[in-house]
Short mmCIF file of all heavy atoms in Angstrom, two decimals:
data_model
loop_
_atom_site.label_atom_id
_atom_site.label_comp_id
_atom_site.label_asym_id
_atom_site.label_seq_id
_atom_site.Cartn_x
_atom_site.Cartn_y
_atom_site.Cartn_z
N ASN M 194 3.30 -6.33 18.52
CA ASN M 194 2.02 -7.03 18.36
C ASN M 194 1.02 -6.67 19.44
O ASN M 194 -0.13 -6.31 19.15
CB ASN M 194 2.24 -8.55 18.37
CG ASN M 194 3.06 -9.07 17.20
OD1 ASN M 194 3.52 -10.19 17.22
ND2 ASN M 194 3.27 -8.25 16.16
N ARG M 195 1.42 -6.76 20.69
CA ARG M 195 0.49 -6.50 21.79
C ARG M 195 -0.01 -5.05 21.76
O ARG M 195 -1.21 -4.79 21.91
CB ARG M 195 1.14 -6.80 23.15
CG ARG M 195 0.19 -6.58 24.33
CD ARG M 195 0.85 -6.96 25.65
NE ARG M 195 1.08 -8.38 25.73
CZ ARG M 195 0.15 -9.28 26.11
NH1 ARG M 195 -1.06 -8.86 26.45
NH2 ARG M 195 0.45 -10.56 26.17
N LYS M 196 0.90 -4.11 21.55
CA LYS M 196 0.49 -2.70 21.50
C LYS M 196 -0.50 -2.45 20.36
O LYS M 196 -1.44 -1.67 20.49
CB LYS M 196 1.71 -1.79 21.35
CG LYS M 196 1.37 -0.31 21.40
CD LYS M 196 2.61 0.56 21.30
CE LYS M 196 2.21 2.04 21.33
NZ LYS M 196 3.39 2.92 21.17
N SER M 197 -0.29 -3.15 19.24
CA SER M 197 -1.20 -3.00 18.09
C SER M 197 -2.62 -3.39 18.49
O SER M 197 -3.58 -2.68 18.17
CB SER M 197 -0.73 -3.87 16.93
OG SER M 197 0.55 -3.48 16.48
N PHE M 198 -2.75 -4.52 19.17
CA PHE M 198 -4.09 -4.96 19.56
C PHE M 198 -4.68 -4.12 20.68
O PHE M 198 -5.91 -3.94 20.76
CB PHE M 198 -4.06 -6.44 19.93
CG PHE M 198 -4.07 -7.35 18.73
CD1 PHE M 198 -2.88 -7.85 18.22
CD2 PHE M 198 -5.26 -7.67 18.09
CE1 PHE M 198 -2.88 -8.67 17.10
CE2 PHE M 198 -5.26 -8.49 16.97
CZ PHE M 198 -4.08 -8.99 16.47
N GLU M 199 -3.82 -3.58 21.55
CA GLU M 199 -4.32 -2.67 22.58
C GLU M 199 -4.88 -1.40 21.94
O GLU M 199 -5.95 -0.91 22.34
CB GLU M 199 -3.20 -2.33 23.56
CG GLU M 199 -2.84 -3.48 24.48
CD GLU M 199 -1.59 -3.22 25.31
OE1 GLU M 199 -0.89 -2.21 25.03
OE2 GLU M 199 -1.30 -4.02 26.22
N MET M 200 -4.19 -0.88 20.93
CA MET M 200 -4.70 0.30 20.22
C MET M 200 -5.98 -0.04 19.48
O MET M 200 -6.94 0.75 19.46
CB MET M 200 -3.64 0.83 19.25
CG MET M 200 -2.50 1.55 19.91
SD MET M 200 -1.27 2.15 18.71
CE MET M 200 -2.25 3.36 17.79
N ALA M 201 -6.02 -1.21 18.86
CA ALA M 201 -7.22 -1.62 18.13
C ALA M 201 -8.42 -1.72 19.08
O ALA M 201 -9.54 -1.32 18.74
CB ALA M 201 -6.98 -2.96 17.44
N TYR M 202 -8.18 -2.25 20.27
CA TYR M 202 -9.27 -2.35 21.25
C TYR M 202 -9.75 -0.97 21.68
O TYR M 202 -10.96 -0.73 21.79
CB TYR M 202 -8.81 -3.15 22.48
CG TYR M 202 -9.88 -3.28 23.54
CD1 TYR M 202 -11.03 -4.03 23.29
CD2 TYR M 202 -9.74 -2.66 24.77
CE1 TYR M 202 -12.02 -4.14 24.26
CE2 TYR M 202 -10.72 -2.77 25.74
CZ TYR M 202 -11.86 -3.51 25.48
OH TYR M 202 -12.85 -3.61 26.44
N ASP M 203 -8.81 -0.05 21.86
CA ASP M 203 -9.18 1.31 22.23
C ASP M 203 -10.03 1.95 21.13
O ASP M 203 -11.07 2.56 21.41
CB ASP M 203 -7.91 2.14 22.48
CG ASP M 203 -8.24 3.59 22.83
OD1 ASP M 203 -8.96 3.81 23.81
OD2 ASP M 203 -7.78 4.49 22.10
N TYR M 204 -9.61 1.79 19.90
CA TYR M 204 -10.40 2.34 18.79
C TYR M 204 -11.73 1.61 18.65
O TYR M 204 -12.76 2.22 18.32
CB TYR M 204 -9.62 2.26 17.49
CG TYR M 204 -8.59 3.35 17.31
CD1 TYR M 204 -7.25 3.04 17.04
CD2 TYR M 204 -8.95 4.69 17.39
CE1 TYR M 204 -6.31 4.05 16.87
CE2 TYR M 204 -8.02 5.70 17.22
CZ TYR M 204 -6.69 5.38 16.96
OH TYR M 204 -5.77 6.38 16.78
N PHE M 205 -11.75 0.30 18.88
CA PHE M 205 -12.98 -0.47 18.81
C PHE M 205 -14.04 0.10 19.75
O PHE M 205 -15.22 0.18 19.41
CB PHE M 205 -12.68 -1.93 19.17
CG PHE M 205 -13.89 -2.78 19.38
CD1 PHE M 205 -14.66 -3.20 18.30
CD2 PHE M 205 -14.26 -3.18 20.65
CE1 PHE M 205 -15.79 -3.99 18.50
CE2 PHE M 205 -15.38 -3.97 20.85
CZ PHE M 205 -16.15 -4.37 19.78
N ARG M 206 -13.61 0.52 20.91
CA ARG M 206 -14.55 1.06 21.90
C ARG M 206 -15.04 2.45 21.53
O ARG M 206 -16.08 2.89 22.02
CB ARG M 206 -13.89 1.09 23.29
CG ARG M 206 -13.52 -0.30 23.76
CD ARG M 206 -13.32 -0.41 25.23
NE ARG M 206 -14.37 0.25 26.02
CZ ARG M 206 -14.51 0.09 27.32
NH1 ARG M 206 -13.70 -0.75 27.97
NH2 ARG M 206 -15.44 0.72 27.98
N ARG M 207 -14.30 3.13 20.65
CA ARG M 207 -14.67 4.49 20.26
C ARG M 207 -15.32 4.58 18.89
O ARG M 207 -15.85 5.63 18.52
CB ARG M 207 -13.41 5.37 20.28
CG ARG M 207 -12.81 5.52 21.69
CD ARG M 207 -11.36 5.93 21.64
NE ARG M 207 -11.15 7.14 20.88
CZ ARG M 207 -9.97 7.52 20.39
NH1 ARG M 207 -8.91 6.75 20.58
NH2 ARG M 207 -9.85 8.64 19.73
N ALA M 208 -15.28 3.48 18.13
CA ALA M 208 -15.81 3.47 16.77
C ALA M 208 -16.93 2.42 16.66
O ALA M 208 -17.28 1.77 17.64
CB ALA M 208 -14.69 3.15 15.79
N LEU M 209 -17.47 2.27 15.46
CA LEU M 209 -18.49 1.24 15.24
C LEU M 209 -17.90 -0.15 15.31
O LEU M 209 -18.50 -1.07 15.85
CB LEU M 209 -19.16 1.44 13.87
CG LEU M 209 -20.00 2.70 13.69
CD1 LEU M 209 -20.53 2.76 12.26
CD2 LEU M 209 -21.15 2.75 14.68
N ASP M 210 -16.70 -0.32 14.71
CA ASP M 210 -16.08 -1.64 14.68
C ASP M 210 -14.68 -1.50 14.09
O ASP M 210 -14.30 -0.42 13.63
CB ASP M 210 -16.92 -2.61 13.82
CG ASP M 210 -16.78 -4.06 14.27
OD1 ASP M 210 -15.78 -4.38 14.96
OD2 ASP M 210 -17.64 -4.87 13.91
N VAL M 211 -13.94 -2.61 14.08
CA VAL M 211 -12.60 -2.63 13.50
C VAL M 211 -12.54 -3.72 12.43
O VAL M 211 -13.34 -4.67 12.43
CB VAL M 211 -11.50 -2.88 14.56
CG1 VAL M 211 -11.44 -1.75 15.56
CG2 VAL M 211 -11.69 -4.23 15.25
N ARG M 212 -11.59 -3.58 11.51
CA ARG M 212 -11.38 -4.54 10.44
C ARG M 212 -9.87 -4.75 10.25
O ARG M 212 -9.07 -3.83 10.46
CB ARG M 212 -11.95 -4.04 9.10
CG ARG M 212 -13.44 -3.71 9.13
CD ARG M 212 -14.27 -4.97 9.05
NE ARG M 212 -15.70 -4.66 8.91
CZ ARG M 212 -16.53 -4.50 9.93
NH1 ARG M 212 -16.08 -4.59 11.18
NH2 ARG M 212 -17.81 -4.25 9.72
N ARG M 213 -9.49 -5.95 9.80
CA ARG M 213 -8.10 -6.28 9.50
C ARG M 213 -8.06 -6.99 8.16
O ARG M 213 -8.53 -8.12 8.03
CB ARG M 213 -7.54 -7.16 10.63
CG ARG M 213 -6.27 -7.95 10.28
CD ARG M 213 -5.06 -7.09 10.27
NE ARG M 213 -3.84 -7.89 10.16
CZ ARG M 213 -2.81 -7.57 9.39
NH1 ARG M 213 -2.84 -6.48 8.63
NH2 ARG M 213 -1.72 -8.32 9.37
N SER M 214 -7.53 -6.34 7.13
CA SER M 214 -7.55 -6.91 5.78
C SER M 214 -6.28 -7.66 5.41
O SER M 214 -6.31 -8.58 4.61
CB SER M 214 -7.79 -5.81 4.74
OG SER M 214 -6.58 -5.10 4.49
N GLY M 215 -5.14 -7.24 5.96
CA GLY M 215 -3.87 -7.85 5.59
C GLY M 215 -3.13 -7.12 4.49
O GLY M 215 -2.08 -7.57 4.05
N SER M 216 -3.66 -5.97 4.05
CA SER M 216 -2.98 -5.16 3.04
C SER M 216 -3.07 -3.70 3.43
O SER M 216 -4.15 -3.09 3.38
CB SER M 216 -3.61 -5.35 1.66
OG SER M 216 -3.15 -4.36 0.75
N ALA M 217 -1.94 -3.12 3.82
CA ALA M 217 -1.92 -1.71 4.20
C ALA M 217 -2.30 -0.82 3.03
O ALA M 217 -3.00 0.19 3.19
CB ALA M 217 -0.54 -1.33 4.74
N ALA M 218 -1.83 -1.18 1.83
CA ALA M 218 -2.12 -0.36 0.66
C ALA M 218 -3.62 -0.28 0.42
O ALA M 218 -4.18 0.80 0.15
CB ALA M 218 -1.41 -0.92 -0.57
N LEU M 219 -4.32 -1.41 0.52
CA LEU M 219 -5.76 -1.41 0.31
C LEU M 219 -6.50 -0.74 1.46
O LEU M 219 -7.53 -0.08 1.25
CB LEU M 219 -6.26 -2.84 0.10
CG LEU M 219 -5.84 -3.49 -1.23
CD1 LEU M 219 -6.35 -4.93 -1.30
CD2 LEU M 219 -6.36 -2.68 -2.43
N ASP M 220 -6.00 -0.89 2.67
CA ASP M 220 -6.62 -0.19 3.80
C ASP M 220 -6.55 1.33 3.62
O ASP M 220 -7.52 2.05 3.87
CB ASP M 220 -5.94 -0.59 5.11
CG ASP M 220 -6.38 -1.97 5.60
OD1 ASP M 220 -7.36 -2.51 5.06
OD2 ASP M 220 -5.72 -2.50 6.51
N LEU M 221 -5.40 1.81 3.18
CA LEU M 221 -5.26 3.24 2.93
C LEU M 221 -6.25 3.70 1.86
O LEU M 221 -6.90 4.74 2.00
CB LEU M 221 -3.83 3.57 2.52
CG LEU M 221 -2.80 3.51 3.66
CD1 LEU M 221 -1.37 3.47 3.10
CD2 LEU M 221 -2.95 4.71 4.60
#
Side-chain angles (χ1 to χ4, degrees):
N194 296 165
R195 181 177 293 277
K196 184 178 179 183
S197 298
F198 280 96
E199 288 171 350
M200 286 180 65
Y202 179 67
D203 178 58
Y204 280 125
F205 169 74
R206 298 200 46 168
R207 295 159 55 199
L209 294 177
D210 208 340
V211 296
R212 302 282 187 270
R213 162 76 171 138
S214 79
S216 167
L219 290 178
D220 283 348
L221 287 164

